[in-house]
């Protein structure tokens, strides 16, 4: 019997929606069990060729969401990138969907935090979830971005996920 090891910072977000950092080869058997349709990738870093091969071998579509090349890694991702990511997340045609960035901390945490605001979670719960994945590396600018994110800018599809 094979072992099933989830990627770093893996978690279930909602039904058929997952988050994590970039997986390595030990995580591939685990990912196979998720029957993913798409991977939403939020990082400017190139993905390992082995992971790209895994996606290709399993007919999983990679959806890279823009990265501002003028942006420094310690700055929050832009509102434009978050809105583009939420467009992908709110389209149930993309499910099962896996959201990831390099370590599944800051970019993924910011996008999921903005999703939680859209779900009308209270800010304390949103920030607690963000902090759970960043450990001791909290970025106050990301927390401020989440707090000030205007959910009225999000385009809600005709058939949103049931959990929205």
């Amino acid at each position: 019997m094979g072992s099933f090891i989830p990627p770093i910072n893996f978690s279930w977000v909602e039904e058929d929606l997952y988050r994590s950092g970039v997986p390595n080869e030990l995580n591939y058997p685990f990912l196979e069990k998720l029957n993913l349709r798409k991977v939403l990738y939020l990082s400017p870093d190139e993905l390992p060729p082995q992971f790209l091969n895994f996606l290709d071998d399993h007919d999983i579509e990679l959806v890279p969401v823009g990265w501002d090349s003028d942006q420094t890694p310690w700055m929050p991702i832009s509102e434009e990138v978050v809105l583009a990511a939420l467009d992908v997340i709110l389209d149930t045609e993309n499910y099962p969907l896996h959201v990831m960035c390099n370590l599944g901390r800051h970019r993924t945490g910011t996008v999921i935090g903005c999703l939680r605001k859209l779900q009308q979670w209270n800010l304390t719960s949103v920030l607690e979830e963000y902090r759970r994945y960043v450990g001791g590396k909290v970025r106050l600018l990301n927390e401020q971005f989440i707090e000030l994110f205007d959910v009225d800018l999000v385009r809600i599809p005709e058939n949103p996920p049931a959990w929205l």
Side-chain angles (χ1 to χ4, degrees), residues 38-53:
K38 295 187 181 181
V39 167
L40 175 61
Y41 186 57
L42 304 170
S43 180
D45 304 320
E46 287 193 29
L47 286 165
Q50 301 90 335
F51 184 57
L52 294 172
N53 290 338

Side-chain angles (χ1 to χ4, degrees), residues 13-117:
V13 178
E14 292 292 345
E15 185 175 350
D16 286 335
L17 178 61
Y18 311 95
R19 63 169 289 163
S20 78
V22 174
N24 63 47
E25 292 180 44
L26 293 174
N27 308 133
Y28 298 169
F30 177 87
L31 292 178
E32 283 181 51
K33 295 294 183 186
L34 301 179
N35 295 312
L36 297 171
R37 180 174 290 166
K38 295 187 181 181
V39 167
L40 175 61
Y41 186 57
L42 304 170
S43 180
D45 304 320
E46 287 193 29
L47 286 165
Q50 301 90 335
F51 184 57
L52 294 172
N53 290 338
F54 170 82
L55 295 176
D56 190 46
D57 291 346
H58 292 86
D59 295 320
I60 301 169
E61 183 182 338
L62 177 65
V63 183
V65 173
W67 172 258
D68 182 351
S69 60
D70 296 331
Q71 186 177 11
T72 55
W74 57 87
M75 295 297 292
I77 61 177
S78 70
E79 181 176 79
E80 177 181 87
V81 170
V82 171
L83 291 171
L86 289 173
D87 272 348
V88 174
I89 291 170
L90 295 177
D91 182 352
T92 56
E93 292 294 313
N94 296 323
Y95 285 50
L97 175 66
H98 193 129
V99 180
M100 67 177 64
C101 63
N102 188 30
L103 293 173
R105 291 179 179 169
H106 303 291
R107 295 177 197 99
T108 299
T110 300
V111 168
I112 298 301
C114 292
L115 173 67
R116 298 306 193 193
K117 276 195 72 176

Side-chain angles (χ1 to χ4, degrees), residues 97-146:
L97 175 66
H98 193 129
V99 180
M100 67 177 64
C101 63
N102 188 30
L103 293 173
R105 291 179 179 169
H106 303 291
R107 295 177 197 99
T108 299
T110 300
V111 168
I112 298 301
C114 292
L115 173 67
R116 298 306 193 193
K117 276 195 72 176
L118 189 63
Q119 291 178 291
Q120 300 181 347
W121 280 30
N122 71 55
L123 186 60
T124 301
S125 297
V126 171
L127 295 180
E128 188 281 325
E129 183 180 47
Y130 170 79
R131 291 174 186 155
R132 186 177 323 139
Y133 296 97
V134 299
K137 299 194 181 264
V138 170
R139 292 184 181 163
L140 295 178
L141 287 176
N142 287 348
E143 290 189 346
Q144 184 181 45
F145 181 96
I146 293 167

